[in-house]
mmCIF file of all heavy atoms in Angstrom:
data_model
loop_
_atom_site.group_PDB
_atom_site.id
_atom_site.type_symbol
_atom_site.label_atom_id
_atom_site.label_comp_id
_atom_site.label_asym_id
_atom_site.label_seq_id
_atom_site.Cartn_x
_atom_site.Cartn_y
_atom_site.Cartn_z
ATOM 1 N N ASP A 27 101.071 76.905 126.052
ATOM 2 C CA ASP A 27 101.198 76.415 127.532
ATOM 3 C C ASP A 27 102.584 76.087 127.891
ATOM 4 O O ASP A 27 102.900 76.213 129.074
ATOM 5 C CB ASP A 27 100.345 75.116 127.648
ATOM 6 C CG ASP A 27 98.839 75.411 127.527
ATOM 7 O OD1 ASP A 27 98.338 76.488 127.589
ATOM 8 O OD2 ASP A 27 98.120 74.447 127.214
ATOM 9 N N ARG A 28 103.417 75.878 126.961
ATOM 10 C CA ARG A 28 104.881 75.423 127.333
ATOM 11 C C ARG A 28 105.872 76.434 126.873
ATOM 12 O O ARG A 28 106.996 76.366 127.162
ATOM 13 C CB ARG A 28 105.073 74.133 126.692
ATOM 14 C CG ARG A 28 104.256 72.893 127.256
ATOM 15 C CD ARG A 28 104.828 72.727 128.658
ATOM 16 N NE ARG A 28 104.134 71.475 129.216
ATOM 17 C CZ ARG A 28 103.052 71.623 130.011
ATOM 18 N NH1 ARG A 28 102.543 72.862 130.275
ATOM 19 N NH2 ARG A 28 102.457 70.536 130.542
ATOM 20 N N LEU A 29 105.506 77.465 125.994
ATOM 21 C CA LEU A 29 106.510 78.401 125.583
ATOM 22 C C LEU A 29 106.195 79.854 126.030
ATOM 23 O O LEU A 29 105.088 80.264 125.860
ATOM 24 C CB LEU A 29 106.566 78.305 124.002
ATOM 25 C CG LEU A 29 107.082 77.012 123.365
ATOM 26 C CD1 LEU A 29 107.013 77.119 121.814
ATOM 27 C CD2 LEU A 29 108.538 76.715 123.837
ATOM 28 N N VAL A 30 107.288 80.496 126.378
ATOM 29 C CA VAL A 30 107.146 82.011 126.802
ATOM 30 C C VAL A 30 108.117 82.803 125.987
ATOM 31 O O VAL A 30 109.236 82.334 125.771
ATOM 32 C CB VAL A 30 107.454 82.112 128.194
ATOM 33 C CG1 VAL A 30 107.447 83.650 128.603
ATOM 34 C CG2 VAL A 30 106.340 81.425 129.071
ATOM 35 N N LEU A 31 107.601 83.869 125.417
ATOM 36 C CA LEU A 31 108.507 84.712 124.613
ATOM 37 C C LEU A 31 108.976 85.919 125.475
ATOM 38 O O LEU A 31 108.137 86.651 126.075
ATOM 39 C CB LEU A 31 107.747 85.246 123.332
ATOM 40 C CG LEU A 31 108.430 86.430 122.503
ATOM 41 C CD1 LEU A 31 109.703 85.713 121.787
ATOM 42 C CD2 LEU A 31 107.565 86.904 121.581
ATOM 43 N N PHE A 32 110.285 86.058 125.553
ATOM 44 C CA PHE A 32 110.855 87.379 126.131
ATOM 45 C C PHE A 32 111.387 88.147 125.054
ATOM 46 O O PHE A 32 112.097 87.668 124.154
ATOM 47 C CB PHE A 32 111.997 86.939 127.100
ATOM 48 C CG PHE A 32 111.699 86.157 128.292
ATOM 49 C CD1 PHE A 32 111.624 84.825 128.321
ATOM 50 C CD2 PHE A 32 111.358 86.768 129.485
ATOM 51 C CE1 PHE A 32 111.280 84.044 129.478
ATOM 52 C CE2 PHE A 32 110.989 86.112 130.647
ATOM 53 C CZ PHE A 32 111.079 84.764 130.575
ATOM 54 N N TYR A 33 111.042 89.476 125.116
ATOM 55 C CA TYR A 33 111.548 90.405 124.034
ATOM 56 C C TYR A 33 111.946 91.781 124.725
ATOM 57 O O TYR A 33 111.252 92.229 125.588
ATOM 58 C CB TYR A 33 110.444 90.739 123.017
ATOM 59 C CG TYR A 33 110.862 91.757 122.048
ATOM 60 C CD1 TYR A 33 111.863 91.536 121.143
ATOM 61 C CD2 TYR A 33 110.272 93.033 121.981
ATOM 62 C CE1 TYR A 33 112.257 92.490 120.220
ATOM 63 C CE2 TYR A 33 110.733 93.999 121.168
ATOM 64 C CZ TYR A 33 111.719 93.756 120.269
ATOM 65 O OH TYR A 33 112.181 94.711 119.332
ATOM 66 N N ASN A 34 113.124 92.233 124.288
ATOM 67 C CA ASN A 34 113.569 93.539 124.722
ATOM 68 C C ASN A 34 113.662 94.477 123.597
ATOM 69 O O ASN A 34 114.421 94.222 122.562
ATOM 70 C CB ASN A 34 114.878 93.306 125.401
ATOM 71 C CG ASN A 34 115.371 94.714 126.077
ATOM 72 O OD1 ASN A 34 115.958 95.498 125.275
ATOM 73 N ND2 ASN A 34 115.166 94.829 127.330
ATOM 74 N N ALA A 35 112.909 95.533 123.643
ATOM 75 C CA ALA A 35 112.782 96.433 122.531
ATOM 76 C C ALA A 35 114.031 97.220 122.339
ATOM 77 O O ALA A 35 114.353 97.778 121.173
ATOM 78 C CB ALA A 35 111.613 97.489 122.702
ATOM 79 N N LEU A 36 114.874 97.447 123.276
ATOM 80 C CA LEU A 36 116.127 98.253 123.238
ATOM 81 C C LEU A 36 117.151 97.526 122.620
ATOM 82 O O LEU A 36 117.960 98.121 121.697
ATOM 83 C CB LEU A 36 116.582 98.688 124.622
ATOM 84 C CG LEU A 36 117.805 99.702 124.640
ATOM 85 C CD1 LEU A 36 117.546 100.866 123.896
ATOM 86 C CD2 LEU A 36 118.151 99.949 126.013
ATOM 87 N N THR A 37 117.347 96.246 122.938
ATOM 88 C CA THR A 37 118.313 95.369 122.314
ATOM 89 C C THR A 37 117.926 94.653 121.092
ATOM 90 O O THR A 37 118.579 94.071 120.263
ATOM 91 C CB THR A 37 118.867 94.366 123.291
ATOM 92 O OG1 THR A 37 117.790 93.508 123.792
ATOM 93 C CG2 THR A 37 119.471 95.147 124.494
ATOM 94 N N ASP A 38 116.512 94.635 120.939
ATOM 95 C CA ASP A 38 115.844 93.885 119.860
ATOM 96 C C ASP A 38 116.176 92.303 119.900
ATOM 97 O O ASP A 38 116.446 91.699 118.949
ATOM 98 C CB ASP A 38 116.273 94.451 118.456
ATOM 99 C CG ASP A 38 115.216 94.066 117.405
ATOM 100 O OD1 ASP A 38 113.997 94.007 117.690
ATOM 101 O OD2 ASP A 38 115.612 93.971 116.252
ATOM 102 N N ASN A 39 116.244 91.893 121.143
ATOM 103 C CA ASN A 39 116.687 90.439 121.365
ATOM 104 C C ASN A 39 115.419 89.731 121.800
ATOM 105 O O ASN A 39 114.612 90.181 122.460
ATOM 106 C CB ASN A 39 117.716 90.299 122.412
ATOM 107 C CG ASN A 39 119.102 90.650 121.900
ATOM 108 O OD1 ASN A 39 119.363 90.442 120.711
ATOM 109 N ND2 ASN A 39 120.034 91.145 122.729
ATOM 110 N N PHE A 40 115.422 88.421 121.418
ATOM 111 C CA PHE A 40 114.390 87.519 121.771
ATOM 112 C C PHE A 40 114.908 86.299 122.470
ATOM 113 O O PHE A 40 115.963 85.851 122.189
ATOM 114 C CB PHE A 40 113.621 87.006 120.555
ATOM 115 C CG PHE A 40 113.012 88.076 119.687
ATOM 116 C CD1 PHE A 40 113.602 88.721 118.693
ATOM 117 C CD2 PHE A 40 111.582 88.348 119.897
ATOM 118 C CE1 PHE A 40 113.013 89.639 117.916
ATOM 119 C CE2 PHE A 40 110.984 89.340 119.155
ATOM 120 C CZ PHE A 40 111.704 89.980 118.106
ATOM 121 N N VAL A 41 114.213 85.752 123.439
ATOM 122 C CA VAL A 41 114.422 84.471 123.977
ATOM 123 C C VAL A 41 113.141 83.721 124.088
ATOM 124 O O VAL A 41 112.186 84.220 124.638
ATOM 125 C CB VAL A 41 115.080 84.572 125.440
ATOM 126 C CG1 VAL A 41 115.134 83.230 126.065
ATOM 127 C CG2 VAL A 41 116.509 85.117 125.311
ATOM 128 N N VAL A 42 113.150 82.570 123.587
ATOM 129 C CA VAL A 42 111.919 81.623 123.682
ATOM 130 C C VAL A 42 112.290 80.570 124.633
ATOM 131 O O VAL A 42 113.201 79.831 124.497
ATOM 132 C CB VAL A 42 111.501 80.976 122.332
ATOM 133 C CG1 VAL A 42 110.253 80.126 122.462
ATOM 134 C CG2 VAL A 42 111.297 82.170 121.281
#
Side-chain angles (χ1 to χ4, degrees):
D27 292 341
R28 292 290 183 267
L29 294 177
V30 173
L31 173 67
F32 293 90
Y33 174 67
N34 186 277
L36 183 61
T37 62
D38 202 30
N39 281 332
F40 299 88
V41 170
V42 179

